[in-house]
Amino acid sequence: MIPVKKISLDKAGQSRRKFIYNITTAVGTGMVLSSPLISKAAGFVKRNDQYTVKQVIDLFMKQVPGAPFPNTVDTLKSGSPDTVISGIVTSMFATIDVIRKTIDLGANFIIVHEPTFYNHTDATDWLKDDDVYQYKIDLLNKHNIAVWRNHDTIHTLKPDGVTKGVLAQLEWQQYAGKDIPNILTFPQTTLKDLIAHAKDKLHIEKVRFVGDPDQQCTKVLFIPGAAGGTRQIGAIIKVKPDVLICGEISEWETAEYVRDARAKGDNISLVVLGHIASEEPGSEFMLQWLKENVPSIKATHIYCGNSLSFM
């Protein structure tokens, strides 16, 4: 079943906090996050020539323990679950440019990881008189495009589908812990070499960091996305890494903790990749899942790029 109802901001916040809590609890307790590859289930699924939006969503959810979840943000943001799919696009965001490229491809189903309408729950009441929102929803409706957010569900895969996709693009799978892939152990390397590698593999122009570029690093704690300062700092306290590499921070939280920890004499650094850069390869993971599980549908990944530029 596809969840389609709107949910309250409080419940959505609980959903995101629950997901983040699960990550940091795993870091703290050593909970096993790995399991047989999800793609193996594809061999037991009857392959059709045509699928509806609902059938593809249900197929993915059947491979995720406990899905579909209550109070999830993983709902349809536009379109009908009964739409017969002509093609699928995966992307971090359903930006207007991504929608236009989807139309050019003749596709009508976009699977995104993050919100479409500028807030975590995709609530639109506050945007009903806004011309940007109206342009975007009219474009989707005109071309009968369904948009489904796959956030809570892909993060609940074992191992986490986003983390798996990012580690693959970074070519760091061999350094990831067997039980907790978010903890990586490297041959001794410098902070500046770690940063240079991440920038190259994730196509990042610049990153923000706290630390000494020549610091020697072995243990890396990798938390993509926006886990929040309490979870990021809590994970640092438990794991005691040489460096935390994350997606996004509130500047008054994790960065200030790391600055004070270094002033105290701790060997800890922080690298902030940016939210999109740290999770976008999860949409590549989703692309590969589609190719393995619904090969009769043309699937394309569109890189939405960073909304921010550097000067």
Side-chain angles (χ1 to χ4, degrees), residues 177-243:
K178 181 179 179 181
D179 293 341
I180 307 176
N182 300 83
I183 300 176
L184 299 96
T185 303
F186 290 86
Q188 197 168 71
T189 186
T190 63
L191 180 63
K192 64 183 176 184
D193 286 342
L194 281 175
I195 290 173
H197 180 87
K199 286 170 62 178
D200 176 57
K201 295 300 181 181
L202 298 180
H203 314 295
I204 303 172
E205 183 180 348
K206 295 180 180 180
V207 303
R208 296 185 295 169
F209 75 99
V210 178
D212 176 3
D214 294 321
Q215 175 192 332
Q216 295 296 314
C217 301
T218 300
K219 182 185 282 189
V220 173
L221 175 60
F222 179 58
I223 306 179
T230 301
R231 272 75 181 188
Q232 291 167 342
I233 294 167
I236 290 173
I237 292 169
K238 291 175 182 177
V239 176
K240 301 189 183 307
D242 298 317
V243 57

Side-chain angles (χ1 to χ4, degrees), residues 96 117-118 124 126-139:
I96 287 176
F117 298 117
Y118 324 118
T124 58
W126 63 292
L127 293 168
K128 61 183 180 181
D129 297 322
D130 177 69
D131 57 352
V132 176
Y133 161 74
Q134 200 60 56
Y135 180 91
K136 191 172 193 177
I137 194 65
D138 286 349
L139 186 64

Side-chain angles (χ1 to χ4, degrees), residues 2-305:
I2 307 170
V4 293
K5 66 180 180 180
K6 297 291 183 181
I7 61 178
S8 70
L9 183 60
D10 287 344
K11 289 182 178 179
Q14 291 168 8
S15 175
R16 177 178 282 275
R17 287 194 296 272
K18 181 179 178 182
F19 155 64
I20 294 170
Y21 174 79
N22 288 341
I23 290 180
T24 51
T25 299
V27 168
T29 64
M31 181 180 71
V32 176
L33 294 181
S34 59
S35 68
L37 290 176
I38 293 297
S39 61
K40 290 182 180 178
F44 301 96
V45 177
K46 181 180 179 181
R47 299 176 186 267
N48 303 317
D49 291 327
Q50 288 188 326
Y51 292 83
T52 64
V53 166
K54 182 181 187 301
Q55 286 174 324
V56 170
I57 295 174
D58 286 350
L59 180 59
F60 188 83
M61 286 189 173
K62 284 178 182 177
Q63 299 184 15
V64 180
F69 307 111
N71 303 325
T72 183
V73 295
D74 292 4
T75 59
L76 280 178
K77 312 306 177 183
S78 70
S80 166
D82 299 321
T83 297
V84 176
I85 299 170
S86 60
I88 302 177
V89 163
T90 67
S91 191
M92 268 287 284
F93 288 91
T95 67
I96 287 176
D97 285 341
V98 167
I99 295 168
R100 288 170 175 163
K101 290 175 181 176
T102 300
I103 295 166
D104 290 343
L105 288 168
N108 62 355
F109 185 25
I110 305 175
I111 299 176
V112 295
H113 186 61
E114 296 296 4
T116 298
F117 298 117
Y118 324 118
N119 65 98
H120 184 54
T121 64
D122 284 295
T124 58
D125 289 350
W126 63 292
L127 293 168
K128 61 183 180 181
D129 297 322
D130 177 69
D131 57 352
V132 176
Y133 161 74
Q134 200 60 56
Y135 180 91
K136 191 172 193 177
I137 194 65
D138 286 349
L139 186 64
L140 290 166
N141 290 339
K142 178 181 177 181
H143 295 276
N144 299 313
I145 294 174
V147 176
W148 177 55
R149 184 178 181 192
N150 185 1
H151 180 273
D152 302 345
T153 315
I154 194 171
H155 275 309
T156 312
L157 279 171
K158 299 183 185 302
D160 180 309
V162 173
T163 298
K164 186 178 176 68
V166 182
L167 291 179
Q169 187 160 323
L170 285 166
E171 299 177 357
W172 283 354
Q173 304 100 314
Q174 68 269 36
Y175 306 120
K178 181 179 179 181
D179 293 341
I180 307 176
N182 300 83
I183 300 176
L184 299 96
T185 303
F186 290 86
Q188 197 168 71
T189 186
T190 63
L191 180 63
K192 64 183 176 184
D193 286 342
L194 281 175
I195 290 173
H197 180 87
K199 286 170 62 178
D200 176 57
K201 295 300 181 181
L202 298 180
H203 314 295
I204 303 172
E205 183 180 348
K206 295 180 180 180
V207 303
R208 296 185 295 169
F209 75 99
V210 178
D212 176 3
D214 294 321
Q215 175 192 332
Q216 295 296 314
C217 301
T218 300
K219 182 185 282 189
V220 173
L221 175 60
F222 179 58
I223 306 179
T230 301
R231 272 75 181 188
Q232 291 167 342
I233 294 167
I236 290 173
I237 292 169
K238 291 175 182 177
V239 176
K240 301 189 183 307
D242 298 317
V243 57
L244 165 64
I245 299 178
C246 67
E248 185 176 334
I249 63 167
S250 295
E251 293 184 20
W252 65 89
E253 297 175 338
T254 307
E256 290 305 312
Y257 177 86
V258 172
R259 173 155 62 174
D260 282 348
R262 290 184 58 79
K264 184 178 81 67
D266 291 352
N267 187 56
I268 176 67
S269 293
L270 169 69
V271 178
V272 183
L273 302 174
H275 195 125
I276 294 174
S278 77
E279 290 200 308
E280 187 273 337
S283 294
E284 289 275 11
F285 172 89
M286 191 65 207
L287 176 70
Q288 294 307 312
W289 182 92
L290 290 166
K291 289 183 175 180
E292 292 173 8
N293 288 268
V294 286
S296 59
I297 301 177
K298 180 181 178 181
T300 307
H301 173 66
I302 296 178
Y303 177 56
C304 68

